[in-house]
């Protein structure tokens, strides 16, 4: 059994920032890096909006730097992930996939969220190759200047992405599987009123085509769900906006979740409903979901944990 003063679950911007701050507070944190070392940023290409990198930086590289900075201050990294937690009493217990059980005095949950994808092999291949398939217009929209784009989804995120993308694209087509939007009226009205946005109803993207050997998207195949007809639409980019899923399955029944499955934190803190358990990053944020906001809440979680341990014992 390995024992940590502070155990951090997750290795995205939130987890590493929590580790940097906890390390500098001499709390000798442990990080379980989770199934996706580096988190969602390792699925993006260039990050141009992280302050301090005026010429941009590749997402995976940014996470390598975060990790190096965390280990410099004494963080111990374990290449495994939690499969079960027991938060009923301190020390908390965390069972892992490959490294046995851990105990800890304070737990920082930074397990993040995942964009939902359509699940098409061609979509995954082009996403991983940086070939014009994305789930984040704020992150990647800039790279699609002058290109005609498709956004999949009918919710607020899809409307928001489509509206944002019209800053760069001459035309954005929203493809929705029904003939009615799920989005709020205000967002739907805004999208409808935008002359650059068009809609294809009752349709799904069933394949993504690339230029020969170029690993760059050239078209999507749409299928009308009423007629079954398939058509090809030439596009310069595909944005999938069918929702996000926070990685909170582990905590069901132990930590308070909101109706969308995100961890609930007390306003302006990272305190969850269990004393000694803190949450930061996208696992508790359905609104901003940016690397810099995740890092900000990671810092908050480490400071909250440090102060809490000072009051309740376990820091030494
Ligand atoms: P959402 O409301 O769950 O909408 C997801 C959309 O994607 C739905 O239209 C759904 O179709 C479609 N969809 C789901 N799976 C699909 C699939 N496999 N293939 C094709 N289409 C699929 O998710 P969201 O838009 O991300 O919003 C999440 C929450 O955040 C909402 O409460 C929203 O109000 C909030 N939000 C608010 C704002 C804002 O106010 N500015 C911005 C973003 C998000 P169906 O409609 O047929 O189910």
């Amino acid at each position: 059994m390995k024992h940590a003063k502070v155990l951090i679950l997750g290795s995205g911007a939130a987890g590493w920032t929590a580790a940097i701050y906890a390390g500098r507070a001499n709390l000798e944190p442990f990080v379980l890096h989770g199934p996706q070392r580096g988190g969602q940023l390792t699925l993006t290409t260039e990050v141009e909006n992280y302050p301090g990198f005026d010429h941009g930086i590749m997402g995976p590289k940014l996470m390598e730097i975060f990790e190096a900075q965390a280990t410099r201050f004494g963080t111990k990294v374990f290449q495994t992930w939690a499969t079960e937690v027991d938060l009923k009493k301190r020390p908390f217990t965390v069972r892992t996939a490959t490294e046995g059980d851990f105990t800890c005095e304070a737990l920082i949950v930074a397990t993040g969220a995942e964009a939902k994808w359509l699940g098409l092999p061609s979509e995954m291949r082009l996403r991983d190759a940086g070939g014009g398939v994305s789930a984040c217009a704020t992150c990647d929209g800039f790279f699609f200047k002058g290109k005609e784009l498709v956004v999949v989804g009918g919710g607020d995120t899809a409307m928001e992405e489509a509206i944002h993308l019209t800053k760069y694209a001459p035309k954005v087509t929203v493809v929705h599987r029904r003939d009615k939007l799920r989005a709020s009226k205000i967002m739907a009205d805004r999208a409808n009123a935008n002359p650059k946005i068009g809609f294809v109803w009752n349709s799904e993207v069933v394949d993504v085509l690339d230029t020969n050997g170029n690993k760059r998207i050239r078209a999507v195949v749409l299928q009308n769900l009423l007629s079954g007809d398939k058509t090809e639409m030439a596009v310069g980019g595909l944005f999938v906006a069918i929702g996000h899923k926070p990685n909170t399955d582990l905590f069901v029944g132990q930590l308070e979740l909101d109706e969308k499955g995100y961890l609930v934190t007390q306003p302006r803190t990272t305190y969850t409903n269990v004393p000694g358990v803190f949450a930061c990053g996208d696992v508790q944020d359905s609104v901003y979901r940016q690397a810099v906001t995740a890092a900000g809440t990671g810092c908050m979680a480490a400071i909250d944990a440090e102060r809490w341990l000072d009051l309740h014992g376990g820091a030494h």
Side-chain angles (χ1 to χ4, degrees), residues 118 153-157 160 176-178 182 187 242-243 260:
L118 301 172
D156 279 331
T157 301
E160 200 168 63
H176 184 34
R177 63 184 177 183
R178 294 186 294 136
R182 177 178 294 280
M187 294 300 286
I242 59 174
K260 295 181 227 157

